[in-house]
């Protein structure tokens, strides 16, 4: 399941490739299991209906992942949740670092304008909630040849795929047993994975804090959503904790504009009842705001007493620009007072540079990226799994981007992830036995007032894609859901 490497031990993992008849048998079992357990997505040509669904893109087997790197990611998740919790309250910092971005990035500009209004009026709801997933690659250092943890991005909004990851972990335990991997090996190699219980717990805490048993949990959703089943598992778990089904509603941003209002106490009202919490599963992409109505709805929510996840401070903090600025000397330490914790976070940073910077180091890096494009990627501020510029396209953009547009992009070192082999299973396509790379996401939350957030980490997502694929994202169609098979160096 891994490339040949005399430094690692995977003696108890299944030997690949498997016999063809065994692959066919396991894939048939996988499709049955997926549909029996809700490990499914809507059809690409019918994203409006769940009447007919297909198996979520998956790996047949769990993929090798170094245990020490996985443990590092879990260990620092609370640090990241705390870091972004504090950054979100620093209005002046966020406004200042985005001053060049907003010149040409309309989406970020609209977010920052709402942040300014929240700053001017004061927080109507001092309790905030971040449901977060921090994504990393297992990066091979070009000098030491050792694997280590490097962050790709932080997700403070619409952190998805937790339900699929949780159910796939159960499947992978099942398939390892079918391949006669010893139980004690499975127990050590497959880490517990229960992100949905944690996400529901965070939402329940927020709903309970609002202290109104008839108040709404408002789930803000996309107009068209292929991955709706993954989202619904969170709602079903929330019901088990005690939120009545009649208190959970799903609305698009357009519907929010049409149906939401603010009363004299700044409560957010829909159908005569207050909203306790707004859970954004949409709102992270420019196309979620086709008109000014959707932006007005977002502003209305941000100026209310409802608890938002994320609130506007957290979403503005979610940009690549924030990520890049934190990597600069001394900036991270403004928000993390303990040197050891700051060091642990900083160690996970990948190289990032702001194109608008004119210092000698940045100029040399940009020149280096034009000469060696395979070593860099160019990223805009928006999220969603499909926004990435590489190779000749990146070089051309570096050469031709107008000065006023350069602030909207971040240059990032291209990571060298560990290459593994696995079977990639995509509905209605031939099963591919491929060389692939993986990206690890760790889920956590920060809940509470500015100075005293409650932190928790639980659950993970591994996404795997062919080695030759530059883009990422399962819903975007580039990757599949996976599970880590942890191993240790010898």
């Amino acid at each position: 399941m891994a490339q040949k490497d005399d430094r690692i031990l995977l003696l108890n993992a299944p030997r690949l490739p498997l016999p063809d008849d065994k692959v066919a048998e396991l894939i048939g079992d996988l499709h049955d299991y997926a549909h029996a357990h809700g490990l499914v997505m809507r059809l690409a040509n019918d994203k409006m209906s769940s009447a007919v669904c297909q198996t979520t893109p998956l790996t047949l087997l769990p993929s090798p992942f170094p245990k020490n790197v996985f443990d590092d990611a879990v260990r620092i998740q609370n640090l990241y949740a705390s870091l972004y919790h504090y950054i979100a309250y620093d209005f002046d910092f966020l406004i200042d670092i985005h001053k060049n971005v907003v010149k040409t990035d309309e989406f970020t500009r609209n977010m920052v304008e709402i942040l300014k209004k929240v700053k001017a009026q004061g927080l109507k709801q001092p309790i905030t909630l971040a449901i977060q997933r921090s994504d990393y690659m297992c990066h091979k250092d070009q000098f030491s040849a050792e694997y280590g943890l490097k962050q790709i991005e932080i997700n403070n909004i619409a952190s998805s795929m937790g339900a699929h990851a949780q159910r796939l972990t159960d499947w992978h335990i099942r398939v390892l047993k079918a391949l006669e991997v010893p139980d004690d090996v499975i127990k050590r190699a497959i880490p517990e994975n229960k992100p949905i219980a944690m996400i529901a717990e965070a939402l329940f805490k927020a709903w309970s804090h609002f202290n109104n048993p008839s108040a709404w949990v408002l789930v803000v959703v996309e107009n068209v959503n292929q991955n709706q089943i993954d989202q619904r598992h969170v709602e079903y778990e929330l019901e088990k904790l005690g939120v009545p089904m009649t208190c959970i509603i799903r609305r698009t941003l357009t519907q929010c504009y049409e149906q939401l209002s603010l009363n004299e106490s700044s409560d957010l009202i829909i159908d005569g009842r207050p909203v306790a919490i707004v859970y954004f599963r949409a709102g992270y992409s420019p196309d979620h705001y086709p008109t000014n109505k959707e932006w007005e709805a977002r502003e209305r929510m941000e100026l209310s007493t409802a608890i938002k996840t994320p609130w506007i401070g957290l979403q503005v903090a979610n940009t690549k620009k924030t990520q890049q600025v934190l990597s600069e000397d001394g900036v991270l330490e403004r928000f993390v007072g303990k040197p050891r914790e700051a060091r642990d976070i900083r160690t996970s940073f990948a190289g990032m540079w702001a194109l608008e910077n004119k210092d000698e180091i940045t100029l040399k890096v940009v020149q280096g990226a034009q000469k060696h494009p395979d070593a860099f990627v160019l990223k805009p501020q928006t999220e969603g799994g499909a926004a990435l510029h590489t190779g000749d396209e990146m070089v051309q953009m570096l050469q031709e981007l107008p000065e006023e547009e350069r602030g909207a992009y971040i240059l990032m070192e291209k990571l060298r992830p560990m290459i593994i082999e696995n079977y990639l299973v995509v509905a209605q396509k031939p099963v591919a036995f491929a060389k692939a790379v993986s990206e690890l996401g760790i889920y956590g939350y920060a809940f509470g007032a500015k100075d005293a957030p409650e932190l928790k980490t639980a659950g993970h997502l591994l996404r795997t894609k062919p080695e030759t694929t530059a883009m990422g994202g399962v819903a975007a169609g580039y990757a599949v859901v996976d599970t880590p098979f942890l191993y240790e160096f010898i």
Side-chain angles (χ1 to χ4, degrees), residues 31-51:
H31 286 301
D32 287 345
Y33 187 95
H35 285 261
H37 291 81
L39 189 49
V40 295
M41 297 177 68
R42 291 174 169 180
L43 302 181
N45 60 0
D46 190 10
K47 297 179 182 180
M48 296 297 292
S49 172
S50 299

Side-chain angles (χ1 to χ4, degrees), residues 139-431:
H139 170 69
K140 187 174 184 178
D141 186 270
Q142 62 177 327
F143 301 109
S144 69
E146 296 295 330
Y147 289 115
L149 190 72
K150 291 298 179 183
Q151 188 185 62
I152 303 296
E153 63 184 5
I154 201 85
N155 299 277
N156 288 325
I157 181 170
S159 299
S160 64
M161 297 290 167
H164 292 335
Q166 182 170 314
R167 282 156 179 78
L168 185 60
T169 295
D170 294 339
W171 155 260
H172 278 150
I173 291 173
R174 174 184 171 87
V175 77
L176 290 176
K177 290 181 177 180
L179 294 172
E180 300 182 346
V181 176
D183 287 346
D184 64 321
V185 173
I186 296 173
K187 187 175 182 179
R188 294 199 311 269
I190 305 297
E192 183 179 65
N193 192 18
K194 297 187 181 300
I196 296 306
M198 183 210 66
I199 293 171
E201 173 189 298
L203 293 169
F204 183 74
K205 284 178 179 288
W207 181 78
S208 299
H209 179 86
F210 202 79
N211 199 29
N212 184 334
S214 66
W216 295 109
V217 174
L218 170 60
V219 185
V220 180
V221 298
E222 299 172 69
N223 293 345
V224 179
N225 180 20
Q226 188 178 3
N227 196 36
Q228 180 154 310
I229 305 301
D230 176 71
Q231 296 178 6
R232 297 306 292 268
H233 283 298
V234 176
E235 298 171 35
Y236 304 150
E237 191 70 24
L238 194 55
E239 291 173 27
K240 294 178 184 177
L241 294 176
V243 178
M245 180 177 66
T246 53
C247 287
I248 302 174
I249 52 173
R250 300 169 63 83
R251 295 290 187 271
T252 65
L253 280 166
T254 305
Q255 291 171 324
C256 287
Y257 168 80
E258 296 167 348
Q259 300 175 26
L260 290 174
S261 62
L262 290 174
N263 66 13
E264 294 180 355
S265 301
S266 296
D267 294 323
L268 192 64
I269 304 297
I270 186 169
D271 291 342
R273 292 159 55 185
V275 174
I277 181 165
V278 181
Y279 179 30
F280 286 102
R281 296 304 301 257
Y284 56 84
S285 176
D287 59 13
H288 297 168
Y289 302 85
T291 71
N292 287 332
K293 293 180 179 179
E294 290 75 25
W295 284 113
E296 185 175 330
R298 181 65 187 265
E299 180 179 316
R300 206 176 299 165
M301 290 184 270
E302 296 296 341
L303 297 176
S304 77
T305 61
I307 299 171
K308 279 78 65 177
T309 182
W311 68 290
I312 193 66
L314 269 169
Q315 189 165 349
V316 173
N318 205 154
T319 62
K320 300 293 189 300
K321 170 53 67 174
T322 304
Q323 193 179 358
Q324 177 267 314
V325 170
L326 285 172
S327 70
E328 296 178 356
D329 290 344
V331 178
L332 172 65
E333 289 71 17
R334 284 183 52 181
F335 302 99
V336 182
K338 297 181 179 179
R340 181 174 296 179
E341 293 181 352
R343 179 203 64 194
D344 288 346
I345 294 173
R346 191 173 285 282
T347 300
S348 71
F349 287 167
M352 303 185 79
W353 300 270
L355 295 185
E356 73 269 26
N357 287 354
K358 298 302 182 182
D359 60 279
E360 184 177 353
I361 293 178
T362 301
L363 292 175
K364 286 184 177 180
V365 171
V366 173
Q367 291 172 1
Q370 295 179 39
K371 293 179 180 178
H372 307 284
D374 290 344
F376 297 87
V377 296
L378 189 64
K379 292 187 174 184
Q381 304 299 328
T382 51
E383 302 296 333
L388 195 67
H389 305 284
T390 61
D392 293 341
E393 179 196 16
M394 179 192 70
V395 172
Q396 184 175 358
M397 291 181 68
L398 290 175
Q399 294 172 342
E400 298 179 0
L401 267 175
E403 192 66 30
E404 65 273 13
E405 294 183 19
R406 297 178 75 82
Y409 291 88
I410 297 297
L411 185 65
M412 182 175 177
E413 71 168 310
K414 186 176 181 180
L415 301 181
R416 295 173 292 278
M418 182 176 68
I419 300 172
I420 57 92
E421 293 179 329
N422 208 332
Y423 295 91
L424 310 185
V425 182
V426 179
Q428 299 179 326
K429 292 185 178 181
V431 174

Side-chain angles (χ1 to χ4, degrees), residues 73-74 76-81 84 131-137 149-156 159 318 323 345 348-349 439-444 459-461 463:
V74 173
I76 66 174
Q77 175 51 41
N78 277 357
L79 299 182
Y80 265 113
Y84 277 85
I131 295 175
Q132 187 179 85
R133 194 189 73 227
S134 187
D135 292 340
Y136 309 89
M137 275 188 168
L149 190 72
K150 291 298 179 183
Q151 188 185 62
I152 303 296
E153 63 184 5
I154 201 85
N155 299 277
N156 288 325
S159 299
N318 205 154
Q323 193 179 358
I345 294 173
S348 71
F349 287 167
E439 186 174 316
L440 175 70
I442 304 295
Y443 295 92
H460 53 271
L461 165 70
R463 287 173 296 176

